[in-house]
Amino acid sequence: TRVVLPGSAAREHGLLAGPPLAFIDNPIAFESSVIRRTLSYMYIHARYLALMVAPVTLSADYSYNVIPPVAPTEARAAVGVAVYAALAAMSAWVLVLVLPRRRLSIADAGLVVGLGWLVVPFLPASSAVATLATVIGERLAYTPLAGFLLLAGSVALRLRRSPIMLWTLVVVAVALCVPRTRTRIADWRDNRAVFSSVVREYPAAAKALLSLGVVEVQAGNRTAARPLFEAAIKVYANYSEAHYCLGKLALELGDVAIGQRHLESALAIERTHAGALFEYGTMLAGQAQSAMTSAPARGKQLLEQAKTVLRRAIKARPSLADGYVNLATAELLGGDAAAAVPLYRQALVRDPLSVSAHVHLALALVSLPANDAAEACTLAASIPRLTGWSSSRRLYEASYQVVVARCG
C-alpha cells in the first residue's frame, strides 16, 4: 500500500525535484498531439467529477493503460467537453445572476463558495499548473470534494420544499455508498487486496499487474507471479521493470534462457536499470564459474563481461552493497584477491551486517600472498554473531570453514 506523505504529494505536483516523469505513470503527458492531450485531460477532469458524484469504480492506480489518450472522434472527448461546458455555464450564471444580488441566501452562498472550492483547489491536480506523475490520484480530489459537498448542500436547500424528492436522493445516496464503502475498506486490507482490486476493475493496468506479481513473489508464490509479469509486458511491451522482474524470477526458477532474454530486454529499454544490471552481471559470473574448468578461455571472457556489467550496476546505484559483493567475488574468482578486498570493504560500508561480505572478505584476506590472518580471524569470530548467519549459514559454510582452518 502506498502511503503518500506531504513530500511525495508535492513531488507529484512538480514542486520538488525528483526522478523524471515515467511514461508508465502518466502516458498522457507524453502525447505529442496538443489536441489529444487537451481532450484527454478534459476527460480526466470529468472522471474526477464522476467519482465525486458516484464513486463506483475506485482504484489505487490509474497509470498505463487504465485511461488511454482520448482521440477527437471518441465519445469520451464529448464527455469532457460537455462537463467543461456545464461548469462554464454554471460559473457564468453565478457571476452574472447570483453574485450581483445584494443579499445572498444560504443556498446561494453555498453555490458560490462550493463552486470556488471545487475549482480552485483542483488546479494543482489538473495538470494545468504542472504535469503530474499520475493520471488520476483520488487523494488529490479530497479538498475539491468539500466544494462538491457544498454544492450538494446548496441543491438540498433548494429542494427543501420538495421533501419527498430530497429524502429520496438521500436514501439512494446512502444505499449506494454504504456497501461501496464496506467493499473499499476490504480492498485496502493489504497489498494483495489493493492491487487485486485495481486489476479487477482495470485488467490493462500494467503497473498494478507488476505490483501484484511482486506481492506474490514476496509471499513465495512464484508460479502465481509469473503470469502477472507476463500480462504486464503484454499490456506494455517496453516496461523495463516488468522485464526485469520476469527475468529475475525466471533465473530463480532455473529457466536461464528466458531469464537472460528478459534481462537483456530490460537493459535494451533502460540501459541504467541497476537491478537488471546486477542480475545480469551475477548470471554471467555464474556462467563464468561453470565454464572455467571445461572452457577456460570462455570462462575468462564471461568473467570480464560480468565484471563490466556489475561495475555499471554499481555506477547506476552506488548504494548497492550486493553489487560490490558480487563484483568482489568475481575478482576473487579470477584470482585477484587484492582487487576483491577493497570491494568487500565498500560493501560493508553500505551494509555492515552483510554475511556474504564478512565471509568473503575474510576468505580474500587469507588468500592474499601476505595474508592478514589477524583481521581474517577477527572477522571469522564475529560472523556467527551476525543477525543473518543462522538463516544463510548453509550458503557460506564451506568458505567460512576455509577461513577457520587457516586461523587454526
Side-chain angles (χ1 to χ4, degrees):
T1 303
R2 183 184 176 205
V3 179
V4 179
L5 301 176
S8 59
R11 183 169 291 109
E12 285 190 350
H13 284 241
L15 303 179
L16 295 178
L21 182 66
F23 178 84
I24 188 72
D25 292 322
N26 186 357
I28 292 169
F30 293 82
E31 177 58 55
S32 58
S33 168
V34 175
I35 294 175
R36 287 172 62 94
R37 190 165 64 249
T38 302
L39 288 173
S40 297
Y41 282 127
M42 291 175 71
Y43 174 72
I44 287 166
H45 302 161
R47 286 288 295 269
Y48 271 111
L49 188 59
L51 287 172
M52 295 180 191
V53 175
V56 178
T57 54
L58 296 171
S59 175
D61 177 47
Y62 288 89
S63 55
Y64 188 92
N65 192 27
V66 172
I67 302 178
V70 176
T73 55
E74 289 185 59
R76 293 185 302 158
V79 171
V81 171
V83 168
Y84 262 80
L87 285 173
M90 182 181 293
S91 300
W93 178 50
V94 168
L95 289 172
V96 175
L97 298 177
V98 177
L99 281 179
R101 296 172 185 171
R102 288 189 174 184
R103 294 187 61 183
L104 296 180
S105 66
I106 296 176
D108 289 339
L111 179 63
V112 173
V113 175
L115 186 60
W117 204 329
L118 175 67
V119 173
V120 176
F122 182 71
L123 290 176
S126 67
S127 291
V129 177
T131 301
L132 306 185
T134 182
V135 177
I136 289 180
E138 291 168 2
R139 62 196 174 278
L140 304 179
Y142 291 164
T143 303
L145 180 60
F148 174 79
L149 293 175
L150 283 173
L151 288 175
S154 175
V155 172
L157 286 173
R158 294 174 192 279
L159 291 175
R160 66 184 183 275
R161 294 180 180 178
S162 304
I164 295 177
M165 182 179 293
L166 177 59
W167 282 106
T168 299
L169 291 174
V170 171
V171 170
V172 169
V174 171
L176 291 175
C177 290
V178 170
R180 188 71 187 96
T181 301
R182 294 181 61 184
T183 302
R184 197 61 182 152
I185 289 172
D187 286 342
W188 283 92
R189 66 183 181 274
D190 56 33
N191 284 343
R192 179 182 281 109
V194 169
F195 298 122
S196 295
S197 70
V198 176
V199 173
R200 183 175 64 247
E201 298 289 354
Y202 301 104
K207 198 171 181 180
L209 287 165
L210 174 75
S211 299
L212 186 55
V214 171
V215 169
E216 296 295 355
V217 169
Q218 292 171 343
N221 302 325
R222 294 179 177 179
T223 53
R226 186 164 187 164
L228 291 166
F229 294 148
E230 291 171 343
I233 293 170
K234 187 175 181 180
V235 172
Y236 181 33
N238 288 331
Y239 199 179
S240 59
E241 192 70 15
H243 282 288
Y244 156 67
C245 289
L246 182 54
K248 183 175 184 293
L249 178 62
L251 289 178
E252 292 172 354
L253 295 174
D255 198 338
V256 177
I258 296 294
Q260 181 169 346
R261 187 172 80 241
H262 282 286
L263 288 177
E264 289 173 351
S265 295
L267 292 172
I269 298 164
E270 185 181 347
R271 293 186 69 254
T272 57
H273 193 296
L277 287 166
F278 171 77
E279 295 296 336
Y280 194 64
T282 302
M283 178 199 71
L284 290 173
Q287 292 175 349
Q289 185 174 17
S290 301
M292 282 297 188
T293 51
S294 59
R298 174 63 176 161
K300 288 182 180 179
Q301 182 184 18
L302 287 170
L303 190 60
E304 289 305 313
Q305 290 176 3
K307 289 191 284 188
T308 299
V309 174
L310 287 168
R311 289 189 190 100
R312 287 174 57 196
I314 291 169
K315 184 178 180 181
R317 189 185 298 164
S319 62
L320 188 62
D322 286 343
Y324 284 95
V325 170
N326 287 10
L327 178 57
T329 303
E331 296 286 6
L332 200 59
L333 180 62
D336 195 347
V341 168
L343 290 168
Y344 284 128
R345 295 193 195 282
Q346 287 291 332
L348 287 174
V349 168
R350 288 154 178 79
D351 183 5
L353 299 179
S354 170
V355 173
S356 178
H358 275 87
V359 171
H360 288 104
L361 175 57
L363 184 63
L365 287 169
V366 299
S367 301
L368 290 170
N371 69 75
D372 191 340
E375 184 181 359
C377 294
T378 301
L379 279 169
S382 69
I383 287 169
R385 296 194 296 272
L386 292 173
T387 305
W389 173 244
S390 59
S391 60
S392 57
R393 180 169 184 167
R394 182 177 58 84
L395 294 173
Y396 306 112
E397 181 68 24
S399 299
Y400 176 68
Q401 290 303 327
V402 170
V403 178
V404 171
R406 298 282 182 89
C407 291

